[in-house]
Amino acid sequence: MKSLWKVLWVTSVFVLLPFHTSASPAHNDRPGTRHAKGYICVGCVVVVSVIEQLAQVHNTTVQAAMERLCSYLPEKLFLKYTCYLVVHMFGPDIIKLLSAGMKADVVCHALEFCEQVSGQPLCHLYPFPKVAWKFTLEKARQIVKGSPTLKYSRSSSDICSLPFLAKICQKIKLAIQNSVPFKDVDSDKYSVFPTLRGYHWRGRDCNDSDNMTYPGRRPDNWDAHQDSNCNGIWGVDPKDGIPYEKKYCEGSQPRGIILLGDSAGAHFHIPPEWLTASQMSLKSFFNLPTALTNELNWPQLSGATGFLNSTSRIKENSIYLRLRKRNRCNHRDYQNLSKNGASSQNLETFIESLSRKELLDHPAIVIYAMIGNDVCSRKIDPVPEMTTPEQFYSKVMESLKFLNSHLPNGSHVILYGLPDGAFLWDHLHDRYHPLGQLNEDVTYDQLYSFLSCLQVTPCHGWMSSNQTLRTLTSERAEQLSNTLEKIATSKKFTNFDLFYVAFDFQEITKKWQQRGGQPWQLIEPVDGFHPNEMALLLLADVFWNKVQHQWPHILGKENPFNPQIEQVFGDQGGH
């Protein structure tokens, strides 16, 4: 029974409680720690809220609402099966508590998924009940007193401690930790598998049994006999005996795009339909397995390296797709080396996942975009945790020296500034969060306070009602941006030139308003923190236009043979 509990508990936390993946600075939250318990609390409140609202929307019992939620989940990754197990174990207690009129946060405190830390304020999402919280919580605890589920630890052992999962868990952990593909037969850092750091993150391998065949390399013998750089252009023109790669790509200045970023660059995204009972259907969770195996990121739709058609219905494309359109020889040459929680201070832990050989590969455009975690912290007092300009300068220089020793000559590195994140509070604090829209009972102010209380907020400095704290956070972000600009204008490297581009959210906000939109529509609705897909593509548009206007040589030539490449090779094997 204990082994079943481990599998059931930890699996349910991972798959059903999406807030477990945070965008705050990278950390190792082991089961049982304050922060790990905080994620569990948030997840519980989210799931119980959805159950309660499903019952309300469909005018059914809580039992029927739980079964409805499970029926929506896909069978992949045992999601549906795990959901039914969770309902079997916790369903009776949840039914009793919700039937007694308890809100989701009270339910989760009573079931000990949330805990009251001695000397700390009580963390709650919903407004306090009309009667005293202490009385309400005691009543809830009496309702579930003696429940068999309460005897199990809420900080169960790591599922990877189970012998039959240890090996596969270790491989997955290393892939995520080191930002390299989980499935990579020839160990060239490229994969034929989409997720788990596969081709959603970097160009798809076209021969996973040959580590000298991968996107971005200079062609071997002009790819007369095979496609050594995976851009879909190979073979010999029978009319004149000239290899197509030589005919169409020689002198066109091919180059790739590489992003060194954080969760914003990876496009962290939790679809609002996962939490909105009135919109939930069988279609809502079809992409949940993909999202989970991409760490709740969507790099395939990101502003820098996205290659799929945008779901946001705007005309702008990613930087990669623009580079590809400019020169079809750039096909598949992208790498998104972004990571949740990444900052200048921990980039060294995964920068070696970069795949570029100084002598064998084409030059690359590298965008350094650590835009938040150097000033963002989940701590109650985040200011001492912020990276100082001196620390920032030192770590950025370390990263640039690494790039100089790995990038081919003729590459370009662009340092991307930090935003003024005060716009988050300004545009969201009094709006209703997706969990609060049905009954108008949860604003972003309440969400921010709840996450900060649990110390799992992605950025207490900007997601705070304290205006002084928000100002201090913005001032430090400006100092770090100034440091980047200073480096870009004063430092020289042998293998690349260096540039600085400001993060101008005001400019994209203005563009969006000119189209009839509102600023809050550019922010991820579930976490209330990240730029959403529309914002990322608008930022890519501003970035591209600035580079094209000021430093067009960074982008390389427009290839006059693009029509011929398309005529002969079609979509070049797709992505």
Side-chain angles (χ1 to χ4, degrees), residues 490-516:
S490 64
K491 298 300 178 182
K492 303 295 180 184
F493 295 87
T494 56
N495 281 338
F496 59 81
D497 47 10
L498 196 56
F499 305 89
Y500 170 79
V501 172
F503 187 110
D504 197 340
F505 195 79
Q506 287 186 336
E507 184 173 352
I508 70 160
T509 299
K510 183 178 179 181
K511 286 178 177 288
W512 185 240
Q513 289 176 316
Q514 288 172 347
R515 300 183 188 187

PDB file of all heavy atoms in Angstrom, residues 490-516:
ATOM      1  N   SER A 490      31.676  48.399 -24.739  1.00  0.00           N
ATOM      2  CA  SER A 490      33.082  48.529 -24.330  1.00  0.00           C
ATOM      3  C   SER A 490      33.926  47.271 -24.525  1.00  0.00           C
ATOM      4  O   SER A 490      35.156  47.352 -24.497  1.00  0.00           O
ATOM      5  CB  SER A 490      33.159  48.951 -22.855  1.00  0.00           C
ATOM      6  OG  SER A 490      32.611  47.944 -22.011  1.00  0.00           O
ATOM      7  N   LYS A 491      33.284  46.115 -24.737  1.00  0.00           N
ATOM      8  CA  LYS A 491      34.040  44.868 -24.807  1.00  0.00           C
ATOM      9  C   LYS A 491      34.100  44.341 -26.240  1.00  0.00           C
ATOM     10  O   LYS A 491      33.139  44.458 -27.005  1.00  0.00           O
ATOM     11  CB  LYS A 491      33.419  43.807 -23.887  1.00  0.00           C
ATOM     12  CG  LYS A 491      33.435  44.199 -22.409  1.00  0.00           C
ATOM     13  CD  LYS A 491      34.859  44.419 -21.900  1.00  0.00           C
ATOM     14  CE  LYS A 491      34.882  44.858 -20.450  1.00  0.00           C
ATOM     15  NZ  LYS A 491      36.258  45.112 -19.966  1.00  0.00           N
ATOM     16  N   LYS A 492      35.232  43.742 -26.582  1.00  0.00           N
ATOM     17  CA  LYS A 492      35.437  43.169 -27.907  1.00  0.00           C
ATOM     18  C   LYS A 492      35.828  41.705 -27.781  1.00  0.00           C
ATOM     19  O   LYS A 492      36.539  41.319 -26.854  1.00  0.00           O
ATOM     20  CB  LYS A 492      36.549  43.926 -28.647  1.00  0.00           C
ATOM     21  CG  LYS A 492      36.322  45.424 -28.789  1.00  0.00           C
ATOM     22  CD  LYS A 492      35.111  45.724 -29.669  1.00  0.00           C
ATOM     23  CE  LYS A 492      34.911  47.235 -29.804  1.00  0.00           C
ATOM     24  NZ  LYS A 492      33.677  47.561 -30.576  1.00  0.00           N
ATOM     25  N   PHE A 493      35.360  40.895 -28.743  1.00  0.00           N
ATOM     26  CA  PHE A 493      35.681  39.469 -28.756  1.00  0.00           C
ATOM     27  C   PHE A 493      36.090  39.060 -30.162  1.00  0.00           C
ATOM     28  O   PHE A 493      35.683  39.685 -31.144  1.00  0.00           O
ATOM     29  CB  PHE A 493      34.488  38.651 -28.273  1.00  0.00           C
ATOM     30  CG  PHE A 493      34.132  38.910 -26.828  1.00  0.00           C
ATOM     31  CD1 PHE A 493      33.273  39.947 -26.471  1.00  0.00           C
ATOM     32  CD2 PHE A 493      34.687  38.135 -25.820  1.00  0.00           C
ATOM     33  CE1 PHE A 493      32.960  40.189 -25.151  1.00  0.00           C
ATOM     34  CE2 PHE A 493      34.378  38.367 -24.486  1.00  0.00           C
ATOM     35  CZ  PHE A 493      33.521  39.406 -24.153  1.00  0.00           C
ATOM     36  N   THR A 494      36.882  38.018 -30.250  1.00  0.00           N
ATOM     37  CA  THR A 494      37.448  37.629 -31.552  1.00  0.00           C
ATOM     38  C   THR A 494      36.455  36.948 -32.471  1.00  0.00           C
ATOM     39  O   THR A 494      36.501  37.131 -33.686  1.00  0.00           O
ATOM     40  CB  THR A 494      38.665  36.701 -31.345  1.00  0.00           C
ATOM     41  OG1 THR A 494      38.261  35.564 -30.562  1.00  0.00           O
ATOM     42  CG2 THR A 494      39.790  37.434 -30.650  1.00  0.00           C
ATOM     43  N   ASN A 495      35.538  36.146 -31.908  1.00  0.00           N
ATOM     44  CA  ASN A 495      34.644  35.344 -32.752  1.00  0.00           C
ATOM     45  C   ASN A 495      33.262  35.938 -32.958  1.00  0.00           C
ATOM     46  O   ASN A 495      32.465  35.405 -33.723  1.00  0.00           O
ATOM     47  CB  ASN A 495      34.514  33.927 -32.187  1.00  0.00           C
ATOM     48  CG  ASN A 495      35.710  33.064 -32.527  1.00  0.00           C
ATOM     49  OD1 ASN A 495      36.426  33.346 -33.492  1.00  0.00           O
ATOM     50  ND2 ASN A 495      35.941  32.012 -31.757  1.00  0.00           N
ATOM     51  N   PHE A 496      32.947  37.015 -32.279  1.00  0.00           N
ATOM     52  CA  PHE A 496      31.639  37.649 -32.484  1.00  0.00           C
ATOM     53  C   PHE A 496      31.713  39.133 -32.150  1.00  0.00           C
ATOM     54  O   PHE A 496      32.595  39.577 -31.399  1.00  0.00           O
ATOM     55  CB  PHE A 496      30.551  36.972 -31.635  1.00  0.00           C
ATOM     56  CG  PHE A 496      30.798  36.975 -30.150  1.00  0.00           C
ATOM     57  CD1 PHE A 496      30.517  38.089 -29.371  1.00  0.00           C
ATOM     58  CD2 PHE A 496      31.296  35.843 -29.519  1.00  0.00           C
ATOM     59  CE1 PHE A 496      30.734  38.089 -28.005  1.00  0.00           C
ATOM     60  CE2 PHE A 496      31.526  35.828 -28.142  1.00  0.00           C
ATOM     61  CZ  PHE A 496      31.237  36.956 -27.386  1.00  0.00           C
ATOM     62  N   ASP A 497      30.783  39.886 -32.734  1.00  0.00           N
ATOM     63  CA  ASP A 497      30.601  41.268 -32.308  1.00  0.00           C
ATOM     64  C   ASP A 497      29.418  41.319 -31.344  1.00  0.00           C
ATOM     65  O   ASP A 497      28.609  40.387 -31.259  1.00  0.00           O
ATOM     66  CB  ASP A 497      30.424  42.215 -33.492  1.00  0.00           C
ATOM     67  CG  ASP A 497      29.432  41.707 -34.532  1.00  0.00           C
ATOM     68  OD1 ASP A 497      28.731  40.720 -34.251  1.00  0.00           O
ATOM     69  OD2 ASP A 497      29.365  42.302 -35.626  1.00  0.00           O
ATOM     70  N   LEU A 498      29.306  42.403 -30.613  1.00  0.00           N
ATOM     71  CA  LEU A 498      28.417  42.465 -29.449  1.00  0.00           C
ATOM     72  C   LEU A 498      27.495  43.673 -29.565  1.00  0.00           C
ATOM     73  O   LEU A 498      27.931  44.777 -29.914  1.00  0.00           O
ATOM     74  CB  LEU A 498      29.275  42.554 -28.186  1.00  0.00           C
ATOM     75  CG  LEU A 498      28.662  42.258 -26.823  1.00  0.00           C
ATOM     76  CD1 LEU A 498      28.018  40.879 -26.790  1.00  0.00           C
ATOM     77  CD2 LEU A 498      29.755  42.363 -25.749  1.00  0.00           C
ATOM     78  N   PHE A 499      26.209  43.461 -29.219  1.00  0.00           N
ATOM     79  CA  PHE A 499      25.214  44.524 -29.331  1.00  0.00           C
ATOM     80  C   PHE A 499      24.287  44.484 -28.119  1.00  0.00           C
ATOM     81  O   PHE A 499      24.213  43.492 -27.399  1.00  0.00           O
ATOM     82  CB  PHE A 499      24.386  44.353 -30.609  1.00  0.00           C
ATOM     83  CG  PHE A 499      25.215  44.271 -31.854  1.00  0.00           C
ATOM     84  CD1 PHE A 499      25.679  43.040 -32.317  1.00  0.00           C
ATOM     85  CD2 PHE A 499      25.539  45.411 -32.555  1.00  0.00           C
ATOM     86  CE1 PHE A 499      26.441  42.958 -33.462  1.00  0.00           C
ATOM     87  CE2 PHE A 499      26.311  45.331 -33.706  1.00  0.00           C
ATOM     88  CZ  PHE A 499      26.769  44.116 -34.156  1.00  0.00           C
ATOM     89  N   TYR A 500      23.560  45.574 -27.919  1.00  0.00           N
ATOM     90  CA  TYR A 500      22.582  45.652 -26.828  1.00  0.00           C
ATOM     91  C   TYR A 500      21.245  46.102 -27.401  1.00  0.00           C
ATOM     92  O   TYR A 500      21.171  47.032 -28.208  1.00  0.00           O
ATOM     93  CB  TYR A 500      23.035  46.656 -25.763  1.00  0.00           C
ATOM     94  CG  TYR A 500      21.963  46.954 -24.726  1.00  0.00           C
ATOM     95  CD1 TYR A 500      21.713  46.054 -23.678  1.00  0.00           C
ATOM     96  CD2 TYR A 500      21.179  48.102 -24.810  1.00  0.00           C
ATOM     97  CE1 TYR A 500      20.718  46.314 -22.740  1.00  0.00           C
ATOM     98  CE2 TYR A 500      20.184  48.366 -23.879  1.00  0.00           C
ATOM     99  CZ  TYR A 500      19.959  47.469 -22.847  1.00  0.00           C
ATOM    100  OH  TYR A 500      18.969  47.722 -21.922  1.00  0.00           O
ATOM    101  N   VAL A 501      20.178  45.417 -26.978  1.00  0.00           N
ATOM    102  CA  VAL A 501      18.815  45.800 -27.350  1.00  0.00           C
ATOM    103  C   VAL A 501      17.980  45.902 -26.074  1.00  0.00           C
ATOM    104  O   VAL A 501      17.979  44.981 -25.251  1.00  0.00           O
ATOM    105  CB  VAL A 501      18.175  44.782 -28.318  1.00  0.00           C
ATOM    106  CG1 VAL A 501      16.693  45.092 -28.533  1.00  0.00           C
ATOM    107  CG2 VAL A 501      18.912  44.774 -29.651  1.00  0.00           C
ATOM    108  N   ALA A 502      17.281  47.014 -25.908  1.00  0.00           N
ATOM    109  CA  ALA A 502      16.443  47.213 -24.723  1.00  0.00           C
ATOM    110  C   ALA A 502      15.155  46.400 -24.833  1.00  0.00           C
ATOM    111  O   ALA A 502      14.640  46.169 -25.938  1.00  0.00           O
ATOM    112  CB  ALA A 502      16.110  48.688 -24.560  1.00  0.00           C
ATOM    113  N   PHE A 503      14.651  45.958 -23.687  1.00  0.00           N
ATOM    114  CA  PHE A 503      13.348  45.291 -23.622  1.00  0.00           C
ATOM    115  C   PHE A 503      12.296  46.395 -23.515  1.00  0.00           C
ATOM    116  O   PHE A 503      12.117  46.991 -22.465  1.00  0.00           O
ATOM    117  CB  PHE A 503      13.295  44.384 -22.389  1.00  0.00           C
ATOM    118  CG  PHE A 503      12.057  43.524 -22.306  1.00  0.00           C
ATOM    119  CD1 PHE A 503      12.132  42.154 -22.479  1.00  0.00           C
ATOM    120  CD2 PHE A 503      10.815  44.081 -22.049  1.00  0.00           C
ATOM    121  CE1 PHE A 503      11.002  41.349 -22.390  1.00  0.00           C
ATOM    122  CE2 PHE A 503       9.673  43.297 -21.961  1.00  0.00           C
ATOM    123  CZ  PHE A 503       9.771  41.924 -22.136  1.00  0.00           C
ATOM    124  N   ASP A 504      11.628  46.667 -24.610  1.00  0.00           N
ATOM    125  CA  ASP A 504      10.713  47.813 -24.652  1.00  0.00           C
ATOM    126  C   ASP A 504       9.268  47.338 -24.644  1.00  0.00           C
ATOM    127  O   ASP A 504       8.629  47.215 -25.695  1.00  0.00           O
ATOM    128  CB  ASP A 504      10.998  48.662 -25.896  1.00  0.00           C
ATOM    129  CG  ASP A 504      10.391  50.060 -25.788  1.00  0.00           C
ATOM    130  OD1 ASP A 504       9.476  50.235 -24.966  1.00  0.00           O
ATOM    131  OD2 ASP A 504      10.838  50.954 -26.521  1.00  0.00           O
ATOM    132  N   PHE A 505       8.743  47.066 -23.455  1.00  0.00           N
ATOM    133  CA  PHE A 505       7.359  46.597 -23.365  1.00  0.00           C
ATOM    134  C   PHE A 505       6.382  47.719 -23.701  1.00  0.00           C
ATOM    135  O   PHE A 505       5.288  47.467 -24.219  1.00  0.00           O
ATOM    136  CB  PHE A 505       7.073  46.061 -21.961  1.00  0.00           C
ATOM    137  CG  PHE A 505       5.813  45.250 -21.873  1.00  0.00           C
ATOM    138  CD1 PHE A 505       5.787  43.932 -22.305  1.00  0.00           C
ATOM    139  CD2 PHE A 505       4.638  45.798 -21.382  1.00  0.00           C
ATOM    140  CE1 PHE A 505       4.620  43.182 -22.249  1.00  0.00           C
ATOM    141  CE2 PHE A 505       3.468  45.057 -21.317  1.00  0.00           C
ATOM    142  CZ  PHE A 505       3.460  43.744 -21.747  1.00  0.00           C
ATOM    143  N   GLN A 506       6.792  48.972 -23.425  1.00  0.00           N
ATOM    144  CA  GLN A 506       5.899  50.092 -23.730  1.00  0.00           C
ATOM    145  C   GLN A 506       5.632  50.187 -25.227  1.00  0.00           C
ATOM    146  O   GLN A 506       4.520  50.512 -25.648  1.00  0.00           O
ATOM    147  CB  GLN A 506       6.500  51.399 -23.220  1.00  0.00           C
ATOM    148  CG  GLN A 506       6.451  51.557 -21.706  1.00  0.00           C
ATOM    149  CD  GLN A 506       6.912  52.926 -21.262  1.00  0.00           C
ATOM    150  OE1 GLN A 506       7.652  53.602 -21.965  1.00  0.00           O
ATOM    151  NE2 GLN A 506       6.482  53.339 -20.085  1.00  0.00           N
ATOM    152  N   GLU A 507       6.645  49.890 -26.024  1.00  0.00           N
ATOM    153  CA  GLU A 507       6.475  49.975 -27.483  1.00  0.00           C
ATOM    154  C   GLU A 507       5.488  48.928 -27.984  1.00  0.00           C
ATOM    155  O   GLU A 507       4.629  49.233 -28.818  1.00  0.00           O
ATOM    156  CB  GLU A 507       7.825  49.812 -28.183  1.00  0.00           C
ATOM    157  CG  GLU A 507       7.732  49.986 -29.690  1.00  0.00           C
ATOM    158  CD  GLU A 507       9.081  50.002 -30.385  1.00  0.00           C
ATOM    159  OE1 GLU A 507      10.114  50.027 -29.684  1.00  0.00           O
ATOM    160  OE2 GLU A 507       9.091  49.979 -31.633  1.00  0.00           O
ATOM    161  N   ILE A 508       5.606  47.688 -27.481  1.00  0.00           N
ATOM    162  CA  ILE A 508       4.661  46.672 -27.967  1.00  0.00           C
ATOM    163  C   ILE A 508       3.262  46.924 -27.395  1.00  0.00           C
ATOM    164  O   ILE A 508       2.262  46.618 -28.047  1.00  0.00           O
ATOM    165  CB  ILE A 508       5.135  45.238 -27.671  1.00  0.00           C
ATOM    166  CG1 ILE A 508       5.064  44.914 -26.167  1.00  0.00           C
ATOM    167  CG2 ILE A 508       6.512  44.981 -28.204  1.00  0.00           C
ATOM    168  CD1 ILE A 508       5.043  43.433 -25.897  1.00  0.00           C
ATOM    169  N   THR A 509       3.194  47.495 -26.201  1.00  0.00           N
ATOM    170  CA  THR A 509       1.887  47.855 -25.644  1.00  0.00           C
ATOM    171  C   THR A 509       1.207  48.893 -26.524  1.00  0.00           C
ATOM    172  O   THR A 509       0.000  48.802 -26.818  1.00  0.00           O
ATOM    173  CB  THR A 509       2.040  48.402 -24.213  1.00  0.00           C
ATOM    174  OG1 THR A 509       2.608  47.397 -23.379  1.00  0.00           O
ATOM    175  CG2 THR A 509       0.695  48.809 -23.641  1.00  0.00           C
ATOM    176  N   LYS A 510       1.994  49.875 -26.970  1.00  0.00           N
ATOM    177  CA  LYS A 510       1.450  50.913 -27.849  1.00  0.00           C
ATOM    178  C   LYS A 510       0.960  50.306 -29.162  1.00  0.00           C
ATOM    179  O   LYS A 510      -0.137  50.633 -29.646  1.00  0.00           O
ATOM    180  CB  LYS A 510       2.526  51.968 -28.112  1.00  0.00           C
ATOM    181  CG  LYS A 510       2.061  53.139 -28.954  1.00  0.00           C
ATOM    182  CD  LYS A 510       3.179  54.151 -29.123  1.00  0.00           C
ATOM    183  CE  LYS A 510       2.722  55.325 -30.007  1.00  0.00           C
ATOM    184  NZ  LYS A 510       3.823  56.318 -30.207  1.00  0.00           N
ATOM    185  N   LYS A 511       1.757  49.395 -29.740  1.00  0.00           N
ATOM    186  CA  LYS A 511       1.357  48.739 -30.982  1.00  0.00           C
ATOM    187  C   LYS A 511       0.059  47.958 -30.790  1.00  0.00           C
ATOM    188  O   LYS A 511      -0.832  47.966 -31.644  1.00  0.00           O
ATOM    189  CB  LYS A 511       2.467  47.797 -31.461  1.00  0.00           C
ATOM    190  CG  LYS A 511       3.690  48.476 -32.066  1.00  0.00           C
ATOM    191  CD  LYS A 511       4.727  47.432 -32.450  1.00  0.00           C
ATOM    192  CE  LYS A 511       5.926  48.052 -33.132  1.00  0.00           C
ATOM    193  NZ  LYS A 511       5.635  48.515 -34.500  1.00  0.00           N
ATOM    194  N   TRP A 512      -0.027  47.263 -29.653  1.00  0.00           N
ATOM    195  CA  TRP A 512      -1.198  46.450 -29.372  1.00  0.00           C
ATOM    196  C   TRP A 512      -2.443  47.316 -29.181  1.00  0.00           C
ATOM    197  O   TRP A 512      -3.534  46.977 -29.663  1.00  0.00           O
ATOM    198  CB  TRP A 512      -0.933  45.595 -28.135  1.00  0.00           C
ATOM    199  CG  TRP A 512      -2.018  44.623 -27.795  1.00  0.00           C
ATOM    200  CD1 TRP A 512      -2.742  44.569 -26.636  1.00  0.00           C
ATOM    201  CD2 TRP A 512      -2.513  43.551 -28.606  1.00  0.00           C
ATOM    202  NE1 TRP A 512      -3.654  43.555 -26.675  1.00  0.00           N
ATOM    203  CE2 TRP A 512      -3.532  42.906 -27.873  1.00  0.00           C
ATOM    204  CE3 TRP A 512      -2.182  43.087 -29.875  1.00  0.00           C
ATOM    205  CZ2 TRP A 512      -4.221  41.804 -28.377  1.00  0.00           C
ATOM    206  CZ3 TRP A 512      -2.881  41.990 -30.381  1.00  0.00           C
ATOM    207  CH2 TRP A 512      -3.885  41.364 -29.628  1.00  0.00           C
ATOM    208  N   GLN A 513      -2.288  48.440 -28.496  1.00  0.00           N
ATOM    209  CA  GLN A 513      -3.426  49.334 -28.286  1.00  0.00           C
ATOM    210  C   GLN A 513      -3.891  49.961 -29.599  1.00  0.00           C
ATOM    211  O   GLN A 513      -5.085  50.213 -29.782  1.00  0.00           O
ATOM    212  CB  GLN A 513      -3.051  50.417 -27.273  1.00  0.00           C
ATOM    213  CG  GLN A 513      -2.918  49.892 -25.849  1.00  0.00           C
ATOM    214  CD  GLN A 513      -2.442  50.940 -24.865  1.00  0.00           C
ATOM    215  OE1 GLN A 513      -1.515  51.701 -25.161  1.00  0.00           O
ATOM    216  NE2 GLN A 513      -3.063  50.996 -23.699  1.00  0.00           N
ATOM    217  N   GLN A 514      -2.948  50.194 -30.512  1.00  0.00           N
ATOM    218  CA  GLN A 514      -3.326  50.733 -31.819  1.00  0.00           C
ATOM    219  C   GLN A 514      -4.190  49.744 -32.606  1.00  0.00           C
ATOM    220  O   GLN A 514      -4.945  50.145 -33.493  1.00  0.00           O
ATOM    221  CB  GLN A 514      -2.075  51.082 -32.624  1.00  0.00           C
ATOM    222  CG  GLN A 514      -1.341  52.317 -32.106  1.00  0.00           C
ATOM    223  CD  GLN A 514       0.000  52.542 -32.786  1.00  0.00           C
ATOM    224  OE1 GLN A 514       0.522  51.662 -33.478  1.00  0.00           O
ATOM    225  NE2 GLN A 514       0.586  53.719 -32.587  1.00  0.00           N
ATOM    226  N   ARG A 515      -4.083  48.452 -32.255  1.00  0.00           N
ATOM    227  CA  ARG A 515      -4.914  47.426 -32.897  1.00  0.00           C
ATOM    228  C   ARG A 515      -6.229  47.212 -32.149  1.00  0.00           C
ATOM    229  O   ARG A 515      -7.007  46.324 -32.485  1.00  0.00           O
ATOM    230  CB  ARG A 515      -4.157  46.108 -32.971  1.00  0.00           C
ATOM    231  CG  ARG A 515      -2.857  46.180 -33.753  1.00  0.00           C
ATOM    232  CD  ARG A 515      -2.207  44.805 -33.838  1.00  0.00           C
ATOM    233  NE  ARG A 515      -0.875  44.865 -34.411  1.00  0.00           N
ATOM    234  CZ  ARG A 515      -0.128  43.815 -34.722  1.00  0.00           C
ATOM    235  NH1 ARG A 515      -0.604  42.591 -34.505  1.00  0.00           N
ATOM    236  NH2 ARG A 515       1.071  43.961 -35.235  1.00  0.00           N
ATOM    237  N   GLY A 516      -6.438  47.988 -31.102  1.00  0.00           N
ATOM    238  CA  GLY A 516      -7.667  47.870 -30.331  1.00  0.00           C
ATOM    239  C   GLY A 516      -7.561  46.978 -29.117  1.00  0.00           C
ATOM    240  O   GLY A 516      -8.570  46.696 -28.458  1.00  0.00           O
TER     241      GLY A 516
END
